[in-house]
Amino acid sequence: MKNILLLFVLISVAIPVKLTAQWTKTNEIYGGYIRSLITFPNSTGGINILAGTWGGLFLSTNNGTSWAKNNNGITNQPIL
């Protein structure tokens, strides 16, 4: 067991992996506080993203580059 742990540590140190964040803050979403998130494919091969916030539901149809409020028919605005 010690040999396996030592091998894992050596491999972890010898093969550095650079992790970079892909999230950036946006002021387009109400308060900037997303409480729930779901993604699904759109007809153009991209990703639609729905974000639930205290201010309602927001939709991005361009992989999160821009957001639009999407509360049509929703009577209870906080989406948690």
Side-chain angles (χ1 to χ4, degrees):
M1 182 69 176
K2 287 183 181 181
N3 291 338
I4 293 174
L5 181 59
L6 180 60
L7 179 62
F8 177 74
V9 170
L10 289 174
I11 290 173
S12 298
V13 172
I15 304 172
V17 177
K18 183 178 179 183
L19 300 176
T20 57
Q22 296 182 17
W23 290 84
T24 57
K25 184 176 180 178
T26 178
N27 291 327
E28 293 184 54
I29 294 180
Y30 178 83
Y33 298 108
I34 296 173
R35 299 294 180 206
S36 57
L37 194 66
I38 187 169
T39 63
F40 54 95
N42 61 29
S43 60
T44 63
I47 300 291
N48 286 346
I49 307 170
L50 282 172
T53 71
W54 286 103
L57 193 62
F58 288 81
L59 173 67
S60 173
T61 57
N62 55 8
N63 301 325
T65 301
S66 62
W67 296 85
K69 205 165 195 177
N70 194 24
N71 289 328
N72 294 341
I74 298 175
T75 57
N76 191 4
Q77 293 299 307
I79 306 295
L80 307 175

